[in-house]
Amino acid sequence: MHLLCRGRLKLLVASLTAGVLLTWLYLLAGNLENGRSLLLAPCLADTPAQVLERSVLESRVREVEEENRKIRLQLSQSQGTAAQPPDGNYGNQQWAASADTGPEDGDNTAEEKNNTECPRSPPVQKCELIHVACVCAGHNASRDVVTLVKSVLFHRRNPLHFHFITDTVAHQILSSLFQSWMVPSVQVSFYDADELKSEVSWIPNKHYSGIYGLMKLTLTKALPSDLSKVIVLDTDITFATDIAELWGIFRKFTDKQVIGLVENQSDWYLGNLWKNHKPWPALGRGFNTGVILLYLERLRRLGWEQMWRLTAERELMSMLSTSLADQDIFNAFIKQNPVLVHQLPCFWNVQLSDHTRSEQCYTEVSDLKVIHWNSPKKLRVKNKHVEFFRNLYLTFLEYDGNLLRRELFGCPSQASPESVKADLEDLDEDDQCYDFRRERLTVHRVHLYFLQYEYSPAGDDTDITLVAQLSMDRLQMLEAICKHWEGPISLALYMSDAEAQQFLRYAQASEVLKNRKNVGYHIVYKEGQFYPVNLVRNVALRNANTPYVFLTDVDFLPMYGLYEYLRRTVVQMDMAHTKKALVVPAFETLRYRLSFPKSKAELLSMLDMGTLYTFRYHVWPKGHAPTDYAKWRTATTPYRVEWEADFEPYVVVRKDCPEYDQRFVGFGWNKVSHVLELDAQEYELMVLPNAFMIHMPHAPSFDISKFRSSSSYRNCLNTLKEEFHQDLSRKYGSAALKYLTAQRNI
């Protein structure tokens, strides 16, 4: 291979020499010709043929000169000019002789133009596993890290292993998300940040990231001892290229280098931002720790844990606290040990904080590799290309995560459980109800606690969570429900990635919603053609954090004071030791503007005047007739009612009640089947005499329109009912026969 390269180099030199010689001969000939022309000009003019010949020769010389220019450029590249720092890689260059500018670092255009270079081995082998670490704590950071992960997955061509150092909240959110996301060739590991707090809690830190902003210092201890290297990223990072390019830079480390970093692009460490500004010590401009290449194996051999501790202890004697969390300590360490750092080109961490020199990192915005939103202002930061950066970020923010479930060609993957694959293969595609059956096997991505959530359990074990589901077209009901129900709420929202961001903006702009911290919002991402209503309900039910749940729909407003009334009732009815389902009678109005009744007496008056009606009495009377509204009018104590076919009341039960049957999607039998199973498990249905809820009008859903217009839809629903009854008989034996008999008698 070296002989081949040397041969090509000799060819280039020979070509250059020949070109120069040809140019010199032409110029000499041109001078002689001009001299002859001057002497003969008075008596002899050029013929047309001579003019044409000279024109052709001049054109040829220009071509040769252009070839010479290209050859000189190729020679300069092959002789090592690529070792010089690229445009924008400024500062610290007098000692960081290892700044990367090879084609694998992004300058692919030079490689494409220069076909004479020797072929080099790829920086990362096919199917080589790339390790990525993040520190993530809380609800907001968990949301941010999803956008980072999307940008990485979008560009990647290699298997990935994410290592998350998390608090309890982020662990719950991200473990559920990745388990339901099921991305091929992606592994995820979690490490408890609480176990690492003692390592860094002694360091005073003024940065808004708090104690978690110091966690990256502990990675040699937190991550597995057999993990040799890792890319460490902040959660506010967006990738614009394949992360394998960054991973490949590890191969450029010298034997002594252990950390790869991009220079800080602000003047912070120069100490000239304001009068008496005293930053931590740093080499030149210092380095930013939003993107780090950590050679863990070498760091452990160096005794990293002791070294950073000694550095921090020494500097804290005069600095008293850190201003930029782990970044200050990393920089103080590098100041003392510059030989250990490998400087990365700045396009691997384009820092979009105010007053940075990030624009010097690229000549075209398409050149950059990694965008770092490291300002507290985030998307509102000042930069002349901020619109481009913002649009790139928003692209991944709203990108459909289902599209990232693609397999890596030629790399083994175990993303989908074998049982799911087997069940899918068993389905008959010629079955008229194939789409319904397939929907039951669909695994939807779930992002729990999408917004900040705070709940302190009541000490008397009587607390009740309102449980409901909704989609984008019912969003306007949220504020009203929060005004009517002051207790905890668990809501599952069926939305696309883009709709989830619209909901986020809506919630953050609402005074009512942003002041309620005891509402858990759980996003179930859209996939498939049906609304998986019972799956969405189950997500809300599973994530209620109280002993009791009020199972309702989002288009119902509970009466004022219902929360406290129900808490008293569960004690009176001894719900903790008996199987009871407390029925809250349902009413409806056809008016969009309603003076909501403040008492049962006021509701009865409105019922008599025709302002209110018993729920669905004119459309689906069987659904709520067993409530016995005539008896309820005069009842003063709870009364028991018997189950009847198609009864679907809204009930309060213990949280350990059976879940909804997920075979029922869209419209039809989704609540009926649940109440039927409550009865099969011998729950007593008790109607509450002083409770009520009112259904607010809205446009009909898409699914009810399909039910009404499609005979095949209705036929499949009947098929699913029969299969449900068969499963119920197998589960509860002869006691379940009454449900099948009742259904056939309808």
Side-chain angles (χ1 to χ4, degrees):
M1 187 62 70
H2 290 296
L3 292 174
L4 179 59
C5 286
R6 192 175 296 117
R8 288 181 176 177
L9 188 61
K10 289 180 179 179
L11 179 60
L12 283 172
V13 173
S15 301
L16 180 62
T17 304
V20 171
L21 182 59
L22 180 59
T23 304
W24 180 79
L25 289 173
Y26 166 74
L27 293 174
L28 179 61
N31 288 336
L32 291 174
E33 182 66 28
N34 289 339
R36 188 184 65 155
S37 298
L38 290 171
L39 292 172
L40 298 179
C43 56
L44 183 62
D46 286 339
T47 64
Q50 290 174 324
V51 173
L52 178 61
E53 182 181 34
R54 183 180 296 114
S55 175
V56 171
L57 187 57
E58 288 173 349
S59 176
R60 174 59 184 151
V61 168
R62 282 194 294 271
E63 291 177 5
V64 170
E65 289 175 342
E66 178 61 18
E67 291 175 1
N68 289 344
R69 188 190 66 78
K70 291 181 178 180
I71 291 171
R72 286 194 295 272
L73 177 62
Q74 293 174 356
L75 274 174
S76 65
Q77 290 174 342
S78 64
Q79 290 174 346
T81 56
Q84 299 174 2
D87 292 341
N89 197 12
Y90 46 85
N92 289 347
Q93 292 165 354
Q94 68 273 21
W95 51 267
S98 56
D100 303 290
T101 60
E104 61 268 43
D105 296 335
D107 192 9
N108 292 325
T109 55
E111 185 175 20
E112 291 168 2
K113 292 177 183 177
N114 184 5
N115 296 321
T116 62
E117 286 194 9
C118 300
R120 62 180 75 197
S121 60
V124 178
Q125 297 298 319
K126 180 179 175 63
C127 299
E128 181 178 345
L129 184 60
I130 296 173
H131 293 270
V132 182
C134 280
V135 178
C136 183
H139 301 85
N140 295 338
S142 299
R143 234 180 16 251
D144 292 339
V145 83
V146 174
T147 307
L148 160 63
V149 169
K150 282 184 181 179
S151 70
V152 172
L153 292 177
F154 181 83
H155 297 286
R156 63 104 181 215
R157 297 179 183 178
N158 283 70
L160 299 171
H161 189 156
F162 288 101
H163 302 264
F164 292 111
I165 292 83
T166 60
D167 64 351
T168 305
V169 169
H171 180 251
Q172 181 183 11
I173 295 171
L174 295 179
S175 60
S176 170
L177 177 66
F178 278 96
Q179 185 178 6
S180 58
W181 202 344
M182 297 195 307
V183 183
S185 303
V186 169
Q187 303 174 47
V188 183
S189 298
F190 294 93
Y191 310 87
D192 190 355
D194 289 339
E195 296 180 359
L196 300 169
K197 284 183 178 179
S198 61
E199 300 290 322
V200 292
S201 59
W202 57 275
I203 304 173
N205 179 27
K206 294 180 180 178
H207 195 258
Y208 61 83
S209 59
I211 192 170
Y212 298 101
L214 298 163
M215 289 286 177
K216 284 184 279 190
L217 295 166
T218 71
L219 290 180
T220 53
K221 180 175 182 178
L223 299 179
S225 58
D226 58 348
L227 182 59
S228 64
K229 53 190 178 183
V230 68
I231 297 173
V232 186
L233 303 173
D234 280 356
T235 58
D236 54 359
I237 290 288
T238 305
F239 265 76
T241 192
D242 188 352
I243 196 172
E245 295 181 39
L246 182 59
W247 183 259
I249 296 178
F250 273 116
R251 300 191 179 188
K252 293 188 164 189
F253 278 34
T254 66
D255 291 341
K256 293 183 178 179
Q257 291 170 341
V258 296
I259 303 175
L261 291 165
V262 169
E263 185 182 51
N264 200 43
Q265 291 158 19
S266 76
D267 291 346
W268 177 271
Y269 287 108
L270 298 182
N272 57 10
L273 292 184
W274 58 81
K275 187 177 181 181
N276 298 325
H277 174 217
K278 185 183 177 184
W280 275 55
L283 205 56
R285 291 187 166 276
F287 292 90
N288 183 277
T289 56
V291 177
I292 315 176
L293 299 187
L294 280 188
Y295 223 124
L296 298 172
E297 182 182 13
R298 296 179 182 178
L299 282 166
R300 292 185 183 109
R301 288 202 303 264
L302 283 174
W304 164 252
E305 292 179 37
Q306 183 180 10
M307 293 176 76
W308 74 257
R309 279 176 174 275
L310 291 174
T311 300
E313 290 170 356
R314 182 182 66 247
E315 299 302 332
L316 284 170
M317 294 177 67
S318 58
M319 300 302 299
L320 304 182
S321 68
T322 62
S323 297
L324 299 182
D326 66 85
Q327 185 167 300
D328 285 339
I329 298 174
F330 271 105
N331 274 290
F333 171 79
I334 291 169
K335 174 81 170 181
Q336 297 296 319
N337 304 278
V339 71
L340 300 180
V341 72
H342 183 96
Q343 185 180 346
L344 307 176
C346 63
F347 47 64
W348 283 112
N349 184 354
V350 178
Q351 300 147 40
L352 296 183
S353 56
D354 289 341
H355 312 299
T356 73
R357 296 162 30 124
S358 59
E359 293 170 13
Q360 299 184 30
C361 285
Y362 52 88
T363 54
E364 299 289 340
V365 288
S366 57
D367 294 339
L368 55 84
K369 305 289 188 182
V370 173
I371 302 167
H372 186 187
W373 303 91
N374 62 320
S375 166
K377 296 180 181 179
K378 300 305 178 187
L379 300 186
R380 302 188 306 276
V381 72
K382 295 178 182 178
N383 181 289
K384 70 179 182 180
H385 297 123
V386 72
E387 280 301 315
F388 172 85
F389 299 134
R390 188 183 292 120
N391 289 336
L392 180 63
Y393 174 81
L394 292 176
T395 296
F396 293 116
L397 188 71
E398 301 184 352
Y399 190 81
D400 184 354
N402 298 324
L403 301 178
L404 298 170
R405 286 170 164 168
R406 60 179 185 266
E407 297 276 353
L408 291 181
F409 182 75
C411 297
S413 172
Q414 293 294 330
S416 299
E418 292 300 323
S419 58
V420 174
K421 292 181 179 178
D423 289 341
L424 284 172
E425 292 172 357
D426 289 342
L427 293 180
D428 181 4
E429 294 188 18
D430 295 328
D431 182 358
Q432 183 185 12
C433 303
Y434 171 82
D435 291 333
F436 284 84
R437 302 187 195 286
R438 195 184 193 291
E439 177 59 42
R440 188 181 181 186
L441 298 176
T442 300
V443 180
H444 292 262
R445 280 181 299 136
V446 178
H447 187 133
L448 302 178
Y449 301 102
F450 197 67
L451 299 182
Q452 189 76 24
Y453 176 76
E454 298 171 8
Y455 168 72
S456 300
D460 55 3
D461 292 331
T462 64
D463 214 352
I464 303 169
T465 297
L466 185 150
V467 173
Q469 52 77 33
L470 69 151
S471 54
M472 199 68 180
D473 58 347
R474 301 288 190 271
L475 208 57
Q476 73 279 1
M477 292 296 300
L478 292 184
E479 288 188 350
I481 284 182
C482 286
K483 292 176 181 177
H484 280 250
W485 180 273
E486 62 269 28
I489 301 175
S490 180
L491 294 173
L493 301 89
Y494 189 60
M495 295 179 168
S496 67
D497 293 74
E499 288 173 340
Q501 296 306 314
Q502 294 176 42
F503 158 69
L504 175 62
R505 293 189 290 271
Y506 173 81
Q508 291 174 337
S510 166
E511 290 296 327
V512 174
L513 300 186
K514 71 182 181 182
N515 290 326
R516 283 290 295 270
K517 302 300 183 186
N518 63 345
V519 181
Y521 299 99
H522 315 294
I523 306 296
V524 180
Y525 287 103
K526 284 183 176 179
E527 186 173 5
Q529 59 176 306
F530 295 105
Y531 191 132
V533 57
N534 278 357
L535 179 147
V536 181
R537 282 194 176 109
N538 284 337
V539 169
L541 175 57
R542 289 170 197 149
N543 291 284
N545 296 306
T546 56
Y548 304 98
V549 288
F550 174 27
L551 305 178
T552 181
D553 278 335
V554 77
D555 38 17
F556 279 89
L557 291 181
M559 73 176 198
Y560 289 110
L562 182 61
Y563 171 62
E564 291 298 337
Y565 172 76
L566 292 178
R567 290 188 64 180
R568 293 192 299 270
T569 303
V570 298
V571 176
Q572 296 167 2
M573 303 287 289
D574 194 23
M575 292 274 287
H577 305 101
T578 59
K579 277 190 173 182
K580 288 187 175 71
L582 308 183
V583 176
V584 178
F587 300 84
E588 69 176 323
T589 179
L590 303 180
R591 301 182 181 184
Y592 284 89
R593 292 181 177 273
L594 175 71
S595 178
F596 202 90
K598 297 180 177 60
S599 65
K600 178 177 179 178
E602 192 173 330
L603 179 137
L604 290 175
S605 175
M606 296 174 72
L607 200 62
D608 293 338
M609 290 189 298
T611 307
L612 294 177
Y613 308 91
T614 57
F615 185 57
R616 293 291 186 258
Y617 81 99
H618 59 304
V619 177
W620 184 245
K622 291 183 294 185
H624 292 267
T627 301
D628 195 350
Y629 288 98
K631 184 173 182 178
W632 182 82
R633 294 178 70 101
T634 58
T636 56
T637 58
Y639 59 92
R640 181 173 179 174
V641 296
E642 296 299 324
W643 173 89
E644 295 181 22
D646 294 329
F647 190 26
E648 51 178 1
Y650 295 96
V651 297
V652 177
V653 290
R654 291 202 309 253
K655 190 197 168 185
D656 61 359
C657 69
E659 291 190 346
Y660 291 87
D661 193 295
Q662 293 180 187
R663 83 184 77 201
F664 295 105
V665 297
F667 177 81
W669 248 60
N670 45 71
K671 291 192 299 292
V672 171
S673 57
H674 186 247
V675 174
L676 193 153
E677 186 152 10
L678 288 177
D679 185 70
Q681 292 194 11
E682 300 180 342
Y683 277 73
E684 292 181 65
L685 297 171
M686 305 293 296
V687 180
L688 300 178
N690 296 308
F692 62 85
M693 56 197 295
I694 299 177
H695 180 266
M696 304 304 290
H698 56 76
S701 68
F702 177 66
D703 290 293
I704 195 172
S705 300
K706 285 197 294 186
F707 173 81
R708 290 170 177 170
S709 62
S710 172
S711 59
S712 62
Y713 191 108
R714 295 191 295 273
N715 291 336
C716 284
L717 181 58
N718 287 328
T719 300
L720 295 177
K721 288 181 188 178
E722 292 177 5
E723 293 173 356
F724 173 77
H725 281 299
Q726 293 169 7
D727 291 343
L728 213 63
S729 297
R730 284 190 287 268
K731 191 172 183 179
Y732 299 106
S734 58
L737 292 176
K738 72 171 185 176
Y739 307 116
L740 185 59
T741 304
Q743 190 65 34
R744 288 173 177 172
N745 290 336
I746 293 177

